Amino acid sequence: MADETIGIVGAGIVGLATGREIALRRPGTRVVVFEKEKQVSLHQTGHNSGVVHAGIYYTPGSLKADLTVRGVALLREYCQDRELPYREIGKLVMAVRQDELGRMENLYERAKNNHVPDLRRVSKDEIKELEPNAGGIAALHSPRTAITDYPAVAREFAKDIADAGGEVRLGFPVTGITNVPGGIEVASGQQRLKVDRLVLCAGLQSDSVARLAQDKQEPRIIPFRGEYMLLKPDRTHLVRGLVYPVPDPRYPFLGVHFTPRVDGTVEVGPNAVLALAREGYRLTKVSPKDLLGLAAYPGSWRMAARHWRTGVKEYRGSLSTTAFMKDAGLYVPGVGAGDVIRGGAGVRAQALDRDGTLVDDFRIHRVGRITAVRNAPSPAATASMAIAEHIVGAVFGEA
């Protein structure tokens, strides 16, 4: 119905892209985005490294694979149209040990199945042509991998919603979601607004908000903090493009890598340590409520039993710059603790199933008038416009 009101919980990049897609695809529909913070894109989007992923890593046929490839094309066009930063600086996924070559070859076949453009294998000598200061014995080169400014993109999405007659309602923490005749009532304290349909894009709070909507309990969100170092300004010349390790297929994390940013800085990281609060951007921030939730969930203990050794290693890097930079130095030899300063940190909303499995693919499902995004970690920013298309299809029964 053209005169419907569609509510969206969460003004991160996925929620804003979804609101924009609804406003553009269904003129006359009123879009209201509810956001607890005083500005948009404050959490995962605002702490994003800015990489536009090409689709190398994802299981062929998965939502991640399909929506990332589609999302890159949409995002590139949007950034060009709005004169937002978008630089194709390329990426090397580099093997530094012989035992990584098989995994690298598997990654190459996966990427080809995902139709990653212009991807090629490169030798040790070719690595030096692309990245003179890099180590490595072989690599995959993705010249179309890019960097952008995701908070700027998100702000532009919010402007598009407003220009179409919608609203981004800031300072509106959702405390209640109730099915009422003909729609859904969204509450924030004593404030109430009735909408016809509701989309949940709550990121770090996605399971908590889903429970308000009487959605299923699983998966739960486990917050992982990713900490970054910054190359000192006189060392940023050491890398030209993105330099990544061959990832460990057991984990949905890509390992410590070198990331040039659109502002000219170069990040090194992130690690992946369990955060003690959902919005725990500092090591010292602790939320008793969040910790109790972790402790009460069987999946947390099962995950810990499987991966505690990796967790100890990641925490060592969190506490010691020397330990943090040990692996990084394999990819750009000679770069060590004296070449970096502490940078920022982000928190990843990682979904975890009851059996202790880290959820890899996007999870989006519909329950009546409510569509819930239950897992949308990286590369959700890259894929945001394609995820929005997928969500709108689900909301209106078009997919």
Side-chain angles (χ1 to χ4, degrees):
M1 296 170 58
D3 58 352
E4 283 187 320
T5 297
I6 308 298
I8 297 170
V9 179
I13 197 167
V14 173
L16 293 168
T18 301
R20 173 186 178 276
E21 183 70 17
I22 292 170
L24 294 179
R25 193 186 297 190
R26 302 180 75 88
T29 299
R30 182 185 178 215
V31 173
V32 181
V33 181
F34 304 105
E35 171 54 50
K36 70 184 180 71
E37 306 293 353
K38 298 296 185 182
Q39 63 187 72
V40 304
S41 70
L42 192 63
H43 291 291
Q44 290 186 104
T45 306
H47 294 83
N48 193 289
S49 64
V51 177
V52 183
H53 293 280
I56 295 171
Y57 306 102
Y58 318 120
T59 302
S62 66
L63 273 181
K64 269 192 178 182
D66 294 344
L67 298 183
T68 299
V69 173
R70 168 72 176 156
V72 170
L74 293 171
L75 183 63
R76 183 193 305 113
E77 182 180 358
Y78 186 81
C79 288
Q80 290 171 347
D81 181 61
R82 302 304 175 93
E83 298 184 345
L84 295 169
Y86 191 96
R87 294 172 50 205
E88 291 184 343
I89 62 172
K91 174 196 286 188
L92 282 174
V93 181
M94 200 157 56
V96 295
R97 297 186 301 270
Q98 288 290 331
D99 62 4
E100 294 177 327
L101 294 177
R103 278 193 279 142
M104 192 185 79
E105 186 61 25
N106 291 339
L107 200 62
Y108 176 79
E109 293 302 326
R110 174 175 286 196
K112 296 300 286 185
N113 285 333
N114 290 340
H115 306 290
V116 173
D118 303 326
L119 185 75
R120 66 188 181 98
R121 304 179 186 91
V122 294
S123 66
K124 183 175 182 178
D125 290 340
E126 290 173 305
I127 289 173
K128 290 296 185 183
E129 293 174 10
L130 295 163
E131 291 284 355
N133 298 298
I137 57 176
L140 303 179
H141 183 227
S142 171
R144 302 292 292 277
T145 298
I147 55 174
T148 189
D149 181 343
Y150 284 118
V153 174
R155 291 191 295 270
E156 196 71 14
F157 287 166
K159 182 176 181 296
D160 291 340
I161 292 170
D163 289 347
E167 175 187 1
V168 179
R169 190 169 294 193
L170 301 174
F172 193 100
V174 173
T175 57
I177 297 172
T178 307
N179 283 294
V180 296
I184 302 158
E185 186 179 77
V186 181
S188 180
Q190 298 304 309
Q191 299 181 75
R192 301 283 191 277
L193 182 69
K194 181 181 174 183
V195 299
D196 294 282
R197 307 174 200 244
L198 187 65
V199 181
L200 310 181
C201 298
L204 287 160
Q205 309 296 337
S206 61
D207 55 347
S208 300
V209 173
R211 284 197 293 275
L212 294 177
Q214 308 302 309
D215 194 11
K216 60 186 180 181
Q217 295 295 304
E218 282 82 34
R220 295 285 184 88
I221 292 299
I222 304 298
F224 281 92
R225 187 175 63 256
E227 300 160 326
Y228 289 90
M229 299 292 177
L230 289 173
L231 286 182
K232 292 178 178 178
D234 63 346
R235 305 297 278 168
T236 57
H237 68 279
L238 292 175
V239 293
R240 295 175 176 176
L242 298 149
V243 178
Y244 276 58
V246 176
D248 187 330
R250 294 174 297 172
Y251 305 105
F253 309 108
L254 298 179
V256 171
H257 45 268
F258 290 80
T259 306
R261 302 292 302 267
V262 293
D263 63 3
T265 60
V266 177
E267 289 181 333
V268 187
N271 58 356
V273 298
L274 188 66
L276 303 181
R278 290 191 184 223
E279 296 169 9
Y281 301 108
R282 299 187 311 276
L283 184 65
T284 55
K285 183 169 183 180
V286 179
S287 165
K289 178 183 176 183
D290 291 344
L291 283 178
L292 285 171
L294 282 172
Y297 186 50
S300 301
W301 297 101
R302 290 166 181 154
M303 176 191 69
R306 293 176 192 171
H307 304 306
W308 67 269
R309 289 181 180 84
T310 299
V312 169
K313 178 183 176 183
E314 294 292 308
Y315 269 109
R316 190 179 296 125
S318 181
L319 298 171
S320 165
T321 302
T322 300
F324 189 103
M325 292 301 295
K326 182 179 179 181
D327 286 344
L330 297 173
Y331 299 91
V332 182
V335 172
D339 300 301
V340 297
I341 57 174
R342 287 275 174 179
V347 180
R348 173 187 175 119
Q350 175 60 54
L352 181 71
D353 278 330
R354 180 171 283 268
D355 66 359
T357 301
L358 296 164
V359 180
D360 184 53
D361 204 5
F362 299 146
R363 280 199 188 171
I364 302 165
H365 66 264
R366 181 179 170 187
V367 181
R369 294 173 176 265
I370 298 173
T371 302
V373 179
R374 296 298 298 266
N375 190 51
S378 179
T382 297
S384 57
M385 297 179 77
I387 294 173
E389 291 180 336
H390 181 84
I391 290 172
V392 173
V395 169
F396 296 102
E398 299 170 4

